Amino acid sequence: MVKTILLDLDDTILDFSRGEANALRRALKRMGLLATPALVARYHAINAAQWRLLELGRLTRDQVMVRRFELLFGELGVEGSGESVSALYESLLAHEHSLMPGALALLKRLAPRYDLYAASNGSADVQHSRLAAAGIAPYFRGIFISEEVGADKPSPLFFQRCFAAIPDFSKETALMVGDSLNSDMRGGIAAGIRTCWFCPAGIGQGASLREKLPDICPDYTITDLFQLPPLLERL
């Protein structure tokens, strides 16, 4: 059986991709730059790469925040302060709180039956603001954000500190649910709990991603959040 569920936030519960694009457009507009779909896609790729480096321990959080914009501006050949634009972007992102399809219904269904905990690598101020604006913070018994925990997923230390803060925690009845193979699935596996990979792109794309990270083998895979409750009932 499952009692405790650790839920990733970005692109699992909160629609980070949509919020990222909206905040980026507004931030670049203030710089006099037009955020075309191609430019937004390029920023997304650069940003994702920097977060992967953080997960590998090669960059700090502060370096990620600034470096993503410095790299983007370098490619565009424009001058700009990565630090100031990052601060502006983060302030705008804090107001983006769109949910993933089915997320609210999922939380409403699971909260009365399971102990739900948010587990995120996002910035603390941004995530708390987004959770409050979306009105979903009350569904969680606790909110673990790496900046406050003092370690980032997939670090075992992140999960150890989460486990220590959960009353009567048992690895045998815990499940990590998230969209990232590296931070969520690798972290959960290393921490000794069951894992459920949320892959909304579908089985085909999921197989392609798995080929790039063949050492990561989640216990379960879902392509729609509505698939999680029936899965939990079987466990």
Side-chain angles (χ1 to χ4, degrees):
M1 63 173 289
V2 171
K3 175 185 177 184
T4 303
I5 303 176
L6 295 172
L7 282 167
D8 172 57
L9 290 179
D10 287 334
D11 286 332
T12 300
I13 298 299
L14 293 167
D15 190 340
F16 178 77
S17 296
R18 180 178 177 182
E20 174 188 64
N22 289 340
L24 181 65
R25 290 189 187 98
R26 294 168 64 193
L28 294 182
K29 184 178 181 179
R30 294 192 188 184
M31 294 184 62
L33 296 174
L34 177 62
T36 64
L39 180 55
V40 171
R42 182 56 189 147
Y43 168 81
H44 180 78
I46 292 174
N47 185 49
Q50 305 320 297
W51 282 102
R52 283 194 292 271
L53 291 174
L54 178 139
E55 293 167 359
L56 294 171
R58 297 177 185 175
L59 291 177
T60 65
R61 177 177 299 277
D62 289 342
Q63 288 173 329
V64 168
M65 298 296 186
V66 175
R67 194 167 184 262
R68 54 188 176 175
F69 286 103
E70 291 180 338
L71 291 172
L72 180 66
F73 294 159
E75 291 186 5
L76 294 175
V78 301
E79 294 184 1
S81 168
E83 186 173 355
S84 62
V85 176
S86 180
L88 172 60
Y89 166 79
E90 290 289 307
S91 69
L92 296 170
L93 182 62
H95 298 285
E96 296 289 339
H97 56 270
S98 297
L99 296 172
M100 294 291 287
L104 182 58
L106 177 75
L107 295 175
K108 288 181 177 180
R109 183 170 178 179
L110 297 187
R113 301 184 58 185
Y114 303 93
D115 296 337
L116 304 182
Y117 292 87
S120 172
N121 267 355
S123 300
D125 289 344
V126 170
Q127 297 300 61
H128 283 301
S129 177
R130 296 170 73 210
L131 286 169
I136 60 173
Y139 292 106
F140 297 100
R141 291 179 179 267
I143 297 170
F144 301 120
I145 300 176
S146 56
E147 189 176 7
E148 297 174 332
V149 171
D152 300 291
K153 295 182 295 182
S155 166
L157 185 59
F158 175 89
F159 288 89
Q160 290 167 10
R161 291 179 174 174
C162 292
F163 298 166
I166 298 174
D168 302 318
F169 176 78
S170 170
K171 290 185 178 181
E172 287 70 27
T173 57
L175 179 71
M176 176 72 218
V177 180
D179 71 299
S180 171
L181 279 173
N182 194 52
S183 65
D184 301 321
M185 300 300 98
R186 187 189 297 279
I189 292 168
I193 62 175
R194 284 176 288 179
T195 55
C196 177
W197 183 33
F198 173 46
C199 181
I203 297 298
Q205 181 66 20
S208 177
L209 292 171
R210 287 285 302 277
E211 289 177 0
K212 297 178 182 178
L213 296 168
D215 61 315
I216 304 176
C217 298
D219 295 289
Y220 317 101
T221 298
I222 58 174
T223 59
D224 191 303
L225 291 178
F226 289 112
Q227 295 172 353
L228 184 57
L231 170 64
L232 292 170
E233 292 174 2
R234 297 194 300 269
L235 299 182

